[in-house]
Amino acid sequence: MDYDITEYPRVYHGLCHLPEARLIEIANKAGASLKSIKPGLYGQIVESILKHIESFDELKTLLTPKDFDIIGQKNSIGDRKTWNRPYLDYDHAVFVDMTRKSYGVVQRPVRTSARNASHADLWLELASLKAWSKLEASQKTKVAKSLARSLGDGFTFVDLVGPHELMRFQHTAFKLHFIAIPGGKYSMGLTDDEKKELTRLAKKHGIEEAKYFARDIAETARPAHEVKLPPFLCAQTPITGAQGKKFTKSAELLESNHNIYWYGAKAALQLTEQSATRLPTEAEWEYIARAGAVRTWLNGEEDPQEYTSRILSAKLLEDDHPFGVCGLGWGTWVEDGWHLGYKNAPVDGSAWEPRDVPNVVRSGGFLSHPWQTPGEEFMLHCTYREQVKDREYPVLLAKDLPKRKK
């Protein structure tokens, strides 16, 4: 197996805790030769084992409950006798912990969030999708003109878009369109039912990569928790070719039918400063991806392969997302700092400990298409997220609602 210790260090360290005699037994079962390895060199025995197995699933079959007891206690999983986690047995819990990807231990400094929702309560018409849907078309237009005035020079109301008739504005100087996203409540993160669905799909695919995708999402996007977020403005698309040239030269054009620009983390932050905008929070991004609370996948009910092929072969604005926001599948930077899971995450839609440079990206299924394995379609799940370092991604800008002018 092509094993990288920097990516899965707990596999290596976990096995190194086993007695030498036991490691030799495992090596023999795996077909690994130990002739050139001197006694006491645990690390070399482990490396030989990992080179000769085809997958972590094979490794699991080579380990006994006693092995998991030792590894679990040494890796701080706890004791089998005191283990009490529903839906997860002890051996599997230790195995999952061992094979969890390393996301690094160095956390960048926390900065103050750029999000300021202090004026959101002044726009009661946008408090929720339900509140907005109750308005007549003439009332929506009246609110739109009021919001355009309040946004200041450079913003003009364009039209109402999508099935919810959401307001769309243009920033004429930047040639950017923004959509007013009503606030609302929803369950953020992978729910129990969604977890079962991913597990079922992974088993259906029957390949190792699908299992790892499903497991990674389950580990990084839980627990599901209710979030109530205020209304905000979101760019209709990520920064494209024509817009990207106006902001910075430190970006790369992704040559495709959509002409999306890629930005490094620092450049993405500079872009928000230059345009007097901000990055969306994770909660805002997922709220849009879920179209409020009605979607689990970016592709809705459509087959993921057919959806992705259809969207990528069309123009960017031909995406038919219910909120009118296009290009979510490319993967975009968000403001929150990376956390392995959502325990103690904020419930008001705010950014969670943003770092001095962004390090979290949501989605990314389009960037990997055509997919090499069926498991890669899981990147279209509305909960998919990953920690990113030294890579470039598209930028989807957001903006807070202004103080309301009469």
Side-chain angles (χ1 to χ4, degrees):
M1 186 177 75
D2 186 14
Y3 168 77
D4 183 352
I5 187 174
T6 63
E7 191 172 14
Y8 296 97
R10 293 173 74 83
V11 172
Y12 176 85
H13 294 302
L15 292 175
C16 282
H17 290 308
L18 298 179
E20 183 176 10
R22 178 65 189 127
L23 285 176
I24 292 174
E25 289 180 12
I26 295 172
N28 289 333
K29 288 183 179 180
S33 175
L34 304 179
K35 291 181 179 180
S36 61
I37 299 177
K38 296 181 179 179
L41 297 179
Y42 287 53
Q44 290 187 20
I45 299 175
V46 170
E47 288 176 1
S48 182
I49 292 170
L50 294 173
K51 286 180 181 178
H52 282 79
I53 60 173
E54 294 185 358
S55 69
F56 287 142
D57 285 342
E58 180 184 347
L59 174 63
K60 188 177 182 181
T61 65
L62 297 174
L63 300 177
T64 66
K66 186 176 180 180
D67 296 331
F68 284 121
D69 281 335
I70 296 171
I71 296 170
Q73 292 185 55
K74 293 295 185 179
N75 278 6
S76 301
I77 298 302
D79 185 89
R80 182 186 295 273
K81 294 180 181 178
T82 59
W83 181 254
N84 184 21
R85 285 274 302 277
Y87 313 118
L88 199 64
D89 63 58
Y90 183 78
D91 289 2
H92 184 62
V94 174
F95 177 72
V96 165
D97 182 81
M98 284 177 66
T99 55
R100 174 183 292 153
K101 284 187 177 181
S102 172
Y103 294 102
V105 295
V106 178
Q107 287 280 26
R108 300 190 64 88
V110 176
R111 66 175 175 83
T112 302
S113 173
R115 177 177 179 262
N116 180 2
S118 59
H119 300 309
D121 290 343
L122 302 178
W123 301 91
L124 296 180
E125 301 92 337
L126 291 170
S128 66
L129 281 170
K130 184 177 180 180
W132 180 250
S133 66
K134 288 181 179 180
L135 300 181
E136 300 290 338
S138 59
Q139 293 174 304
K140 292 177 180 177
T141 301
K142 184 177 180 181
V143 175
K145 292 180 178 179
S146 176
L147 182 50
R149 288 196 303 271
S150 301
L151 284 167
D153 294 339
F155 278 94
T156 56
F157 168 57
V158 180
D159 55 10
L160 301 174
V161 297
H164 299 293
E165 296 186 319
L166 301 183
M167 297 177 285
R168 182 168 64 159
F169 303 87
Q170 183 183 39
H171 193 298
T172 53
F174 298 136
K175 303 299 182 184
L176 281 172
H177 285 94
F178 286 86
I179 295 176
I181 308 294
K185 292 181 181 180
Y186 79 106
S187 182
M188 179 181 178
L190 192 72
T191 66
D192 290 342
D193 287 343
E194 290 170 349
K195 183 180 178 182
K196 291 177 182 177
E197 180 194 19
L198 283 180
T199 301
R200 179 184 61 78
L201 287 174
K203 289 181 178 179
K204 179 181 177 181
H205 290 319
I207 61 172
E208 184 178 325
E209 288 83 355
K211 295 177 183 177
Y212 288 140
F213 267 111
R215 193 192 68 209
D216 284 344
I217 294 173
E219 290 177 351
T220 61
R222 284 174 65 84
H225 53 291
E226 186 175 271
V227 172
K228 181 181 180 181
L229 51 81
F232 61 101
L233 294 167
C234 181
Q236 187 174 16
T237 68
I239 297 297
T240 62
Q243 300 152 357
K245 296 175 183 178
K246 289 182 173 294
F247 295 113
T248 177
K249 295 180 179 179
S250 56
E252 180 181 348
L253 181 63
L254 173 60
E255 293 187 7
S256 71
N257 208 32
H258 293 176
N259 289 321
I260 299 291
Y261 260 96
W262 288 2
Y263 291 84
K266 291 183 179 179
L269 207 57
Q270 292 171 355
L271 177 58
T272 63
E273 295 169 355
Q274 293 169 6
S275 58
T277 59
R278 60 175 175 81
L279 296 175
T281 68
E282 279 209 66
E284 290 172 340
W285 188 97
E286 188 170 323
Y287 181 68
I288 293 174
R290 290 183 179 275
V294 299
R295 285 192 171 189
T296 299
W297 298 83
L298 293 180
N299 47 295
E301 301 297 324
E302 189 175 353
D303 176 81
Q305 281 280 9
E306 294 178 2
Y307 163 81
T308 303
S309 297
R310 178 176 64 83
I311 294 298
L312 293 183
S313 62
K315 298 296 183 182
L316 181 57
L317 290 176
E318 292 178 24
D319 193 341
D320 53 357
H321 189 278
F323 280 6
V325 179
C326 307
L328 291 174
W330 284 111
T332 55
W333 293 105
V334 290
E335 190 179 25
D336 304 52
W338 176 257
H339 297 79
L340 187 61
Y342 288 138
K343 185 177 180 180
N344 300 320
V347 295
D348 62 353
S350 59
W352 189 11
E353 297 179 341
R355 303 294 164 176
D356 58 344
V357 294
N359 67 347
V360 181
V361 163
R362 298 300 303 262
S363 190
F366 289 179
L367 288 171
S368 300
H369 197 266
W371 302 317
Q372 300 302 306
T373 65
E376 290 179 282
E377 73 191 49
F378 290 3
M379 287 187 284
L380 294 181
H381 200 277
C382 291
T383 60
Y384 183 78
R385 59 195 293 266
E386 62 176 308
Q387 184 185 31
V388 176
K389 181 182 179 181
D390 299 329
R391 288 165 63 189
E392 297 177 327
Y393 274 91
V395 173
L396 185 71
L397 298 175
K399 190 174 180 66
D400 296 304
L401 293 185
K403 184 176 182 180
R404 190 163 192 159
K405 292 183 179 179
K406 294 182 180 180

